[in-house]
Amino acid sequence: MPALEVPSHVNANAMMNPALSDVSVLISGPPIKDPGALLRYALPIDNKAIREVQKPLEDITESLKIAGVKALDSVERNVRQASRALKQGRTMIVSGLAKSKVDHGVDLLNKLEVGMDALQQVVENRNRDAVAPLQKELLNYVGGVEEDMVDGFPYEVPEEYKDMPLLKGRAAVDMKVRVKDNPNLVDCTFRIVLDGYNAPVTAGNFVDLVERHFYDGMEIQRADGFVVQTGDPEGPAEGFIDPSTEKTRTIPLEIMVDGEKTPVYGATLEELGLYKAQTKLPFNAFGTMAMAREEFENNSASSQVFWLLKESELTPSNANILDGRYAVFGYITENEDYLADLKVGDVIESVQVVSGLENLVNPSYKIAG
């Protein structure tokens, strides 16, 4: 199976007592670990007004860590801040919507405004349990508005990759897994959001394989407390054999650096000397999804994928050895906590695209042969 290994230059002593890197020292504030927030910030938009609505709504999560109903005082401040930001910035937000999506975006803004009034009422009624579900609903509206600000695909994929399956936008898939030997869990469906804005080749390859039903019936092949991995087909091949060429289809290493407009292809950030660069899709969240590959062959990824289970001494959010070395292309956004219950031999019953298939271009699964 393609390797997911500790780099050879990391020695045993460093693994036991990792030193803080320059990157970790430069990080200000706690890293973002929520997959929904990571996806919102990864969108190719630049609209300060909507971000000023988003941030206090996300901060409700921290406010709810305060015990009892005292948390509601902090939540109320968050809601008021978000509501004020929406009223003051609405004109700028609407002006940032793509022309073809204005009506939909305005409708979401109206729902957001009504929802914030409802959340304010929940806080006034001191109904703590109702806060988190409403917060999630409001952030979904915010994310929808932000997606409506993206007008088409923002860049050209390099010539050598432009004819491959590409996801020019986002898509969501549901992965249903049948769990063995677990009396508390028989099956579970994971919702995965794939980000083609930042990884069009990697995400496009995966969606194309999903439409071929490549993963249906496949077992979980690695579950070691660090990652969950699958995608190695039966037989000697370690990746997807394209029936039209009878050869293994491989894709390049693809990494979007924060602040850049196009991804880096074929090289790790370390190889490029970008030691302090931050990736647009970091290994921050439980359930971060990425491509496995051969350790010393950057462009060897094919069909094997993995999900990061948890932080360790080597993978602290925002300062780990995986960012810039493996291509992240999505996050599990629902039921990610159940990843830890998966074992080798559990079966992926199905993976189905539930939205965004229209964003897949050059789909090879439609080609006979």
Side-chain angles (χ1 to χ4, degrees), residues 158 160-161 202 251-257 262-275 277 279 293-301 322-328:
E160 58 264 46
Y161 310 127
T202 312
I251 60 173
L253 179 62
E254 180 180 46
I255 298 169
M256 180 72 88
V257 175
T262 59
V264 171
Y265 288 93
T268 68
L269 298 191
E270 181 181 19
E271 289 168 344
L272 295 172
L274 300 175
Y275 301 105
T279 56
R293 62 174 178 82
E294 296 290 349
E295 183 178 1
F296 300 109
E297 295 181 28
N298 293 340
N299 298 335
S300 61
L322 299 181
D323 284 338
R325 298 188 72 248
Y326 293 90
V328 174

Side-chain angles (χ1 to χ4, degrees), residues 35-111:
L38 289 168
L39 287 163
R40 285 187 288 273
Y41 282 114
L43 285 167
I45 64 172
D46 182 18
N47 190 287
K48 183 179 178 182
I50 191 63
R51 297 300 195 197
E52 289 181 346
V53 177
Q54 175 183 333
K55 183 62 166 59
L57 289 177
E58 290 174 345
D59 288 345
I60 289 174
T61 300
E62 288 298 313
S63 297
L64 289 175
K65 292 180 180 180
I66 301 172
V69 294
K70 289 183 178 180
L72 297 177
D73 295 335
S74 184
V75 171
E76 185 172 20
R77 288 191 292 272
N78 298 141
V79 177
R80 287 179 177 175
Q81 183 180 349
S83 182
R84 183 169 58 251
L86 178 57
K87 291 176 182 178
Q88 294 176 347
R90 187 181 178 103
T91 300
M92 185 181 294
I93 293 170
V94 173
S95 68
L97 295 169
K99 291 183 179 180
S100 62
K101 304 176 183 179
V102 170
D103 290 344
H104 184 258
V106 169
D107 181 56
L108 289 177
L109 285 173
N110 292 336
K111 291 179 179 178

Side-chain angles (χ1 to χ4, degrees), residues 136-151:
K136 183 177 181 179
E137 180 181 330
L138 297 183
L139 285 171
N140 283 339
Y141 292 147
V142 169
V145 171
E146 292 173 347
E147 289 200 44
D148 285 343
M149 291 178 171
V150 183
D151 190 6

